[in-house]
């Protein structure tokens, strides 16, 4: 099972508190040190849209990168790609949506326009040997349009695959999905995109993320996105919530004897440190349970 840690990007982009560049770097390095094979490190997006990601170039410049760990960054257009190139990134993620309204709100263009913007990005990435992951948002619901048809998800996921993405991550952006709907969506998408090329990205707004992940594992999904301490969500925005917590995912998989290569206690410690800086409590029951019994410094 391959876990993509998205806390430093998806988690921190939604936190009302600010984390210094130095702390972000330490967080990413700790997560990579915990054995996570991929740690999403930031986003080259407009700082007016997402101010929390404005220091991504500084983060990438100072980060001590481990051999064998991927540090993808989000790139919405060629301006973002040029910035990613300058930062010597080896992997990027492009992000589209299965809902027109969300596409407009998130990246200020239609789904068709977003795909057109991705074409030169994909070409430039291929020419430079940069790997590209693709995201589809709103796979189980849209905050503006409500239910989203699985066929719409399959269509955009298929297009991202055809463009050359090595993996497509299916995002339940607002965490409204339940297991049977998640399986139905995976069934539709995997008729178009091989299941081995799919990952799932659940936000835990309604507390369904772990159940949904298990349902998707039953379908053969082998890629999971998660966020240390369940970071993300805005306490001032009613109902908003972060990604499923990495600690919760790893604890469940450990219990099922499914190998991840991830050190649960090390992820928990990384989460505690960043939560202390943000002045918040981890949104992970596993993290809280471990906090009650593990020494914060690992006993060193
Ligand atoms: P726009 O305003 O339509 O862009 O935004 P524009 O091309 O008209 O340019 C406007 C200004 O932005 C210009 O600057 C550009 O230089 C600048 P100005 O002249 O006004 O000073 N600009 C940029 N600056 C930095 N980096 C760039 C860039 N591009 C243009 N790459 C744009 C379009 C896509 C840029 C904007 O809408 C944007 O940045 N959106 C990002 C939104 C975002 O990051 N959302 C969160 C990530 S997605 C997510 O969380 C979902 C996911 O987790 C999966 C899931 O859960 O579903 C992945
Ligand atoms: Mg997300």
């Amino acid at each position: 099972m391959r876990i993509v840690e998205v806390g430093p990007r998806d988690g921190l982009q939604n936190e009302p508190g600010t984390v210094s560049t130095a702390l972000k770097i330490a967080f990413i390095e700790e997560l990579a040190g915990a054995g996570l094979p991929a740690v999403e490190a930031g986003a080259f997006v407009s700082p007016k849209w997402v101010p929390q990601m404005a220091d991504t170039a500084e983060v990438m410049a100072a980060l001590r990168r481990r051999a064998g760990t991927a540090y993808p960054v989000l790139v919405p257009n060629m301006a973002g790609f040029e910035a990613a190139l300058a930062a010597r990134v080896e992997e990027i993620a492009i992000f589209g949506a299965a809902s027109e309204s969300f596409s407009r709100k998130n990246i200020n263009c239609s789904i068709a326009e977003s795909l057109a913007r991705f074409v030169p990005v994909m070409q430039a990435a291929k020419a430079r040997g940069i790997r590209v992951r693709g995201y589809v948002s709103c796979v189980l619901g849209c905050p503006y349009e409500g239910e989203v048809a699985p066929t719409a998800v399959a269509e955009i996921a298929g297009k991202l695959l055809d463009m050359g993405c090595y993996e497509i991550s299916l995002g339940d952006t607002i965490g409204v999905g339940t297991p049977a709907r998640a399986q139905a969506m995976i069934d539709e998408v995997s008729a178009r995109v091989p299941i081995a090329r799919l990952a799932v990205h659940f936000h835990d707004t309604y507390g369904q993320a772990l159940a949904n992940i298990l349902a998707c594992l039953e379908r053969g999904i082998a890629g999971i996105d998660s966020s240390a301490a369940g970071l993300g969500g805005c306490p001032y925005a009613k109902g908003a919530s972060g990604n499923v917590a990495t600690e919760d995912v790893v604890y469940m998989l450990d219990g099922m004897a499914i190998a991840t290569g991830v050190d649960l206690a090390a992820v928990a410690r990384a989460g505690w440190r960043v939560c202390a800086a943000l002045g918040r409590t981890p949104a992970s029951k596993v993290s809280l349970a471990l906090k009650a019994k593990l020494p914060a410094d690992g006993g060193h």
Side-chain angles (χ1 to χ4, degrees):
M1 196 64 56
R2 181 171 181 266
I3 298 182
V4 173
E5 167 63 47
V6 297
R9 195 278 305 171
D10 203 347
L12 295 183
Q13 85 181 3
N14 285 314
E15 286 291 335
T18 332
V19 168
S20 71
T21 305
L23 193 77
K24 264 190 199 177
I25 293 165
F27 185 40
I28 296 166
E29 289 179 353
E30 273 187 89
L31 292 166
L36 285 150
V39 183
E40 207 167 62
F44 287 110
V45 297
S46 164
K48 287 181 192 141
W49 286 62
V50 187
Q52 293 91 333
M53 294 292 111
D55 61 351
T56 296
E58 288 82 0
V59 169
M60 292 309 291
L63 190 66
R64 279 171 298 183
R65 303 183 203 186
R66 288 168 73 98
T69 307
Y71 300 94
V73 296
L74 260 53
V75 162
N77 53 18
M78 277 309 284
F81 181 81
E82 297 299 341
L85 202 58
R88 297 185 300 107
V89 310
E90 292 172 355
E91 180 172 331
I92 61 170
I94 57 176
F95 49 108
S99 135
E100 284 292 348
S101 312
F102 186 83
S103 180
R104 290 207 173 274
K105 296 275 185 191
N106 193 40
I107 48 176
N108 206 22
C109 64
S110 69
I111 295 172
E113 284 164 341
S114 73
L115 291 169
R117 283 182 191 175
F118 298 153
V119 170
V121 173
M122 293 303 300
Q123 285 168 347
K126 193 174 178 199
R128 308 273 182 162
I130 293 174
R131 275 156 59 88
V132 187
R133 195 166 191 251
Y135 276 109
V136 182
S137 283
C138 299
V139 300
L140 290 166
C142 166
Y144 314 103
E145 295 180 12
E147 277 205 23
V148 170
T151 47
V153 183
E155 190 180 332
I156 172 113
K159 285 182 177 160
L160 292 176
L161 180 80
D162 293 345
M163 288 176 116
C165 291
Y166 77 89
E167 182 175 71
I168 314 299
S169 176
L170 301 168
D172 183 9
T173 317
I174 52 171
V176 290
T178 46
R181 288 191 55 229
Q183 286 185 335
M185 183 273 295
I186 295 292
D187 291 345
E188 186 73 39
V189 178
S190 60
R192 175 71 172 79
V193 178
I195 195 108
R197 307 281 290 273
L198 294 174
V200 290
H201 177 110
F202 285 104
H203 285 258
D204 202 25
T205 319
Y206 285 80
Q208 305 294 300
L210 262 192
N212 290 338
I213 288 171
L214 185 57
C216 294
L217 295 186
E218 287 175 359
R219 287 297 197 264
I221 289 285
I224 302 170
D225 297 359
S226 61
S227 172
L231 288 180
C234 175
Y236 308 109
K238 206 174 159 203
S241 179
N243 298 86
V244 65
T246 306
E247 295 90 327
D248 295 7
V249 172
V250 173
Y251 182 84
M252 180 178 84
L253 296 176
D254 282 353
M256 296 169 75
I258 296 174
T260 61
V262 179
D263 177 344
L264 175 58
V267 175
R269 284 192 190 94
W272 300 337
R273 254 185 288 280
V274 81
C275 281
L278 287 164
R280 62 164 287 174
T281 307
S284 156
K285 290 202 169 174
V286 171
S287 170
L288 294 174
L290 292 177
K291 201 165 196 314
K293 58 182 229 186
L294 286 182
D297 62 357
H300 303 302

